[in-house]
Amino acid sequence: MNTAENEFLTWDGGFVAEESEFVVLDPGVCKFTVKNFERKIYDGKSDKIPNGTPYAEIEMEFVGTKGKTTVKERLYLLKRMQWKLTEFFAAIGQNPTIGQAFMPNWNAVVGSSGYAELEVNYYKDNSGNDRSNNRPNKFLKPDAPEIASAQQPMQVQPVQATPVQPQPQQPAQPVQPAPAQPQQPTQGSFTPGAF
Protein backbone atom coordinates (compact mmCIF):
# COMPACT_ATOMS: atom_id res chain seq x y z
CA MET A 1 0.00 0.00 0.00
CA ASN A 2 1.33 3.44 -0.91
CA THR A 3 2.01 5.26 2.38
CA ALA A 4 2.29 8.71 0.76
CA GLU A 5 -1.30 8.46 -0.54
CA ASN A 6 -2.52 7.36 2.91
CA GLU A 7 -0.85 10.18 4.81
CA PHE A 8 -3.31 11.85 7.19
CA LEU A 9 -4.36 15.46 6.72
CA THR A 10 -5.18 17.59 9.76
CA TRP A 11 -8.33 19.61 10.51
CA ASP A 12 -6.41 22.84 10.99
CA GLY A 13 -3.90 22.34 8.19
CA GLY A 14 -4.09 22.96 4.46
CA PHE A 15 -3.75 20.62 1.52
CA VAL A 16 -2.70 20.77 -2.12
CA ALA A 17 -5.68 21.21 -4.45
CA GLU A 18 -5.84 18.46 -7.09
CA GLU A 19 -8.15 17.36 -9.86
CA SER A 20 -9.44 13.82 -10.02
CA GLU A 21 -7.12 11.65 -12.06
CA PHE A 22 -9.92 9.22 -12.90
CA VAL A 23 -10.27 8.72 -16.66
CA VAL A 24 -12.76 6.52 -18.50
CA LEU A 25 -11.10 5.26 -21.67
CA ASP A 26 -12.98 4.65 -24.89
CA PRO A 27 -13.91 1.03 -25.57
CA GLY A 28 -11.41 -0.93 -27.62
CA VAL A 29 -8.15 -2.86 -27.41
CA CYS A 30 -5.70 -1.37 -24.91
CA LYS A 31 -2.36 -2.36 -23.43
CA PHE A 32 -2.27 -3.01 -19.70
CA THR A 33 0.39 -3.52 -17.05
CA VAL A 34 -0.34 -5.34 -13.79
CA LYS A 35 0.48 -2.95 -10.93
CA ASN A 36 -0.70 -5.03 -7.98
CA PHE A 37 -2.21 -8.37 -7.08
CA GLU A 38 -3.81 -9.52 -3.82
CA ARG A 39 -5.05 -12.93 -2.75
CA LYS A 40 -8.51 -12.58 -1.21
CA ILE A 41 -11.52 -14.62 -0.05
CA TYR A 42 -14.99 -13.63 -1.26
CA ASP A 43 -17.47 -12.81 1.51
CA GLY A 44 -20.08 -10.75 -0.33
CA LYS A 45 -23.73 -11.18 -1.14
CA SER A 46 -23.99 -12.84 -4.51
CA ASP A 47 -26.08 -15.62 -5.99
CA LYS A 48 -23.31 -16.30 -8.51
CA ILE A 49 -20.18 -16.45 -6.33
CA PRO A 50 -20.25 -18.64 -3.19
CA ASN A 51 -18.84 -17.18 0.03
CA GLY A 52 -15.37 -18.50 0.79
CA THR A 53 -14.29 -18.49 -2.87
CA PRO A 54 -10.62 -17.57 -3.24
CA TYR A 55 -9.92 -14.89 -5.83
CA ALA A 56 -7.10 -12.74 -7.13
CA GLU A 57 -7.79 -9.01 -7.21
CA ILE A 58 -5.68 -7.73 -10.08
CA GLU A 59 -4.96 -4.00 -10.36
CA MET A 60 -4.08 -3.06 -13.94
CA GLU A 61 -3.08 0.21 -15.54
CA PHE A 62 -4.55 0.63 -19.02
CA VAL A 63 -3.18 3.12 -21.54
CA GLY A 64 -5.45 4.60 -24.20
CA THR A 65 -5.73 7.70 -26.37
CA LYS A 66 -7.29 9.69 -23.50
CA GLY A 67 -4.56 8.77 -21.02
CA LYS A 68 -4.24 6.13 -18.33
CA THR A 69 -6.74 4.51 -16.00
CA THR A 70 -6.54 1.90 -13.27
CA VAL A 71 -8.92 -1.05 -13.35
CA LYS A 72 -9.38 -3.74 -10.71
CA GLU A 73 -10.50 -7.16 -11.87
CA ARG A 74 -11.36 -10.21 -9.82
CA LEU A 75 -10.22 -13.59 -11.03
CA TYR A 76 -12.26 -16.15 -9.10
CA LEU A 77 -10.68 -19.54 -8.54
CA LEU A 78 -13.76 -21.52 -9.55
CA LYS A 79 -13.91 -24.38 -12.07
CA ARG A 80 -16.55 -22.55 -14.10
CA MET A 81 -14.24 -19.50 -14.32
CA GLN A 82 -11.21 -21.40 -15.66
CA TRP A 83 -11.81 -19.84 -19.09
CA LYS A 84 -11.17 -16.35 -17.66
CA LEU A 85 -8.05 -17.49 -15.81
CA THR A 86 -6.83 -19.07 -19.06
CA GLU A 87 -7.46 -15.80 -20.99
CA PHE A 88 -5.63 -13.71 -18.40
CA PHE A 89 -2.54 -15.92 -18.12
CA ALA A 90 -2.34 -16.30 -21.90
CA ALA A 91 -2.53 -12.49 -22.26
CA ILE A 92 0.43 -11.95 -19.93
CA GLY A 93 2.51 -14.56 -21.73
CA GLN A 94 2.32 -17.57 -19.41
CA ASN A 95 0.84 -19.66 -22.26
CA PRO A 96 -1.55 -22.23 -20.80
CA THR A 97 -2.31 -25.06 -23.23
CA ILE A 98 -6.01 -25.75 -23.75
CA GLY A 99 -7.02 -29.15 -22.38
CA GLN A 100 -3.89 -29.58 -20.24
CA ALA A 101 -3.20 -28.88 -16.58
CA PHE A 102 -1.63 -25.46 -15.99
CA MET A 103 0.21 -24.16 -12.94
CA PRO A 104 0.18 -20.34 -13.01
CA ASN A 105 3.20 -18.42 -11.78
CA TRP A 106 1.41 -15.99 -9.44
CA ASN A 107 4.73 -14.43 -8.40
CA ALA A 108 5.31 -13.21 -11.98
CA VAL A 109 1.91 -11.49 -12.32
CA VAL A 110 2.92 -8.06 -10.98
CA GLY A 111 4.84 -6.18 -13.65
CA SER A 112 3.59 -8.34 -16.50
CA SER A 113 1.71 -6.76 -19.37
CA GLY A 114 -0.62 -7.69 -22.17
CA TYR A 115 -3.65 -6.51 -24.12
CA ALA A 116 -7.34 -6.63 -23.35
CA GLU A 117 -10.55 -5.55 -25.01
CA LEU A 118 -11.76 -2.78 -22.72
CA GLU A 119 -15.41 -1.81 -22.35
CA VAL A 120 -17.25 0.99 -20.58
CA ASN A 121 -19.35 -0.21 -17.65
CA TYR A 122 -22.38 1.98 -16.80
CA TYR A 123 -23.90 1.69 -13.33
CA LYS A 124 -25.65 3.60 -10.54
CA ASP A 125 -23.76 4.32 -7.34
CA ASN A 126 -25.25 3.90 -3.84
CA SER A 127 -26.81 7.39 -4.11
CA GLY A 128 -28.50 6.57 -7.43
CA ASN A 129 -26.12 8.69 -9.55
CA ASP A 130 -25.17 7.49 -13.03
CA ARG A 131 -21.51 6.48 -13.15
CA SER A 132 -19.17 4.74 -15.55
CA ASN A 133 -15.82 2.99 -15.40
CA ASN A 134 -13.79 0.61 -17.51
CA ARG A 135 -13.51 -3.14 -17.24
CA PRO A 136 -11.84 -5.77 -19.38
CA ASN A 137 -14.32 -7.61 -21.56
CA LYS A 138 -11.74 -10.08 -22.84
CA PHE A 139 -8.03 -10.67 -22.32
CA LEU A 140 -6.21 -11.21 -25.62
CA LYS A 141 -3.44 -13.64 -26.55
CA PRO A 142 -0.23 -11.88 -27.67
CA ASP A 143 -0.78 -13.00 -31.28
CA ALA A 144 -4.46 -11.93 -31.48
CA PRO A 145 -5.25 -10.03 -34.71
CA GLU A 146 -7.10 -7.36 -32.70
CA ILE A 147 -3.77 -6.30 -31.16
CA ALA A 148 -2.13 -5.70 -34.54
CA SER A 149 -5.01 -3.52 -35.71
CA ALA A 150 -4.99 -1.58 -32.41
CA GLN A 151 -1.28 -0.84 -32.83
CA GLN A 152 -1.82 0.71 -36.27
CA PRO A 153 -1.78 4.51 -36.23
CA MET A 154 -5.30 5.92 -36.30
CA GLN A 155 -4.64 8.33 -39.18
CA VAL A 156 -1.55 8.61 -41.23
CA GLN A 157 -0.98 12.00 -42.79
CA PRO A 158 0.08 11.62 -46.43
CA VAL A 159 3.55 12.91 -47.16
CA GLN A 160 3.34 15.71 -49.67
CA ALA A 161 6.05 15.66 -52.26
CA THR A 162 7.82 18.92 -52.94
CA PRO A 163 6.80 20.06 -56.40
CA VAL A 164 9.62 19.66 -58.87
CA GLN A 165 10.36 22.78 -60.87
CA PRO A 166 10.63 21.97 -64.56
CA GLN A 167 14.12 22.62 -65.84
CA PRO A 168 14.31 24.66 -69.01
CA GLN A 169 15.30 22.40 -71.79
CA GLN A 170 17.81 23.30 -74.44
CA PRO A 171 16.51 22.88 -77.93
CA ALA A 172 17.83 19.68 -79.37
CA GLN A 173 20.63 20.16 -81.87
CA PRO A 174 20.31 17.92 -84.85
CA VAL A 175 23.14 15.47 -84.90
CA GLN A 176 24.75 15.13 -88.27
CA PRO A 177 26.14 11.74 -89.02
CA ALA A 178 29.80 11.76 -89.90
CA PRO A 179 30.42 11.00 -93.50
CA ALA A 180 31.26 7.39 -93.93
CA GLN A 181 34.75 6.85 -95.16
CA PRO A 182 35.41 3.65 -96.84
CA GLN A 183 38.04 1.82 -94.98
CA GLN A 184 40.16 -0.39 -96.95
CA PRO A 185 42.09 -2.86 -94.95
CA THR A 186 45.62 -3.09 -96.03
CA GLN A 187 47.69 -6.09 -95.39
CA GLY A 188 49.70 -5.89 -92.23
CA SER A 189 48.35 -2.53 -91.26
CA PHE A 190 46.21 -1.72 -88.21
CA THR A 191 42.60 -0.75 -88.72
CA PRO A 192 41.16 1.06 -85.68
CA GLY A 193 37.84 -0.32 -84.39
CA ALA A 194 37.95 -3.48 -86.38
CA PHE A 195 38.18 -6.60 -84.31
Side-chain angles (χ1 to χ4, degrees):
M1 192 177 292
N2 188 341
T3 56
E5 290 178 2
N6 291 316
E7 185 178 329
F8 296 142
L9 301 176
T10 62
W11 292 108
D12 56 348
F15 60 89
V16 177
E18 294 181 351
E19 288 190 71
S20 172
E21 295 178 13
F22 183 73
V23 175
V24 176
L25 299 177
D26 293 331
V29 175
C30 291
K31 184 175 178 132
F32 70 86
T33 301
V34 178
K35 296 297 183 181
N36 197 17
F37 145 67
E38 291 183 52
R39 297 169 194 250
K40 294 188 171 186
I41 303 292
Y42 183 76
D43 63 352
K45 298 174 184 167
S46 172
D47 296 334
K48 297 179 183 178
I49 306 296
N51 280 341
T53 301
Y55 69 93
E57 186 172 81
I58 308 291
E59 182 180 316
M60 298 167 281
E61 181 181 77
F62 282 86
V63 179
T65 56
K66 288 184 176 179
K68 298 177 185 178
T69 194
T70 300
V71 175
K72 288 187 178 181
E73 180 71 350
R74 293 179 175 184
L75 299 175
Y76 292 100
L77 303 181
L78 289 169
K79 283 197 177 241
R80 65 183 164 91
M81 301 297 282
Q82 290 178 110
W83 65 270
K84 192 169 189 177
L85 292 163
T86 301
E87 269 187 6
F88 175 75
F89 283 102
I92 64 170
Q94 289 198 24
N95 303 322
T97 302
I98 304 299
Q100 294 184 13
F102 173 71
M103 185 64 171
N105 183 354
W106 292 102
N107 294 328
V109 170
V110 175
S112 59
S113 61
Y115 285 85
E117 188 179 286
L118 208 57
E119 67 181 11
V120 177
N121 175 45
Y122 297 98
Y123 65 97
K124 290 196 182 286
D125 66 11
N126 293 339
S127 302
N129 299 316
D130 290 331
R131 300 281 186 212
S132 64
N133 61 11
N134 289 115
R135 68 177 173 201
N137 183 43
K138 181 179 183 177
F139 292 103
L140 302 171
K141 291 181 181 178
D143 60 351
E146 297 94 333
I147 294 173
S149 62
Q151 291 176 334
Q152 298 292 328
M154 294 303 263
Q155 271 190 341
V156 176
Q157 295 293 329
V159 177
Q160 293 185 359
T162 308
V164 177
Q165 297 291 334
Q167 297 294 324
Q169 293 196 0
Q170 302 268 338
Q173 300 282 334
V175 178
Q176 303 248 342
Q181 300 231 356
Q183 293 189 6
Q184 305 238 347
T186 55
Q187 274 190 329
S189 68
F190 173 73
T191 307
F195 295 103

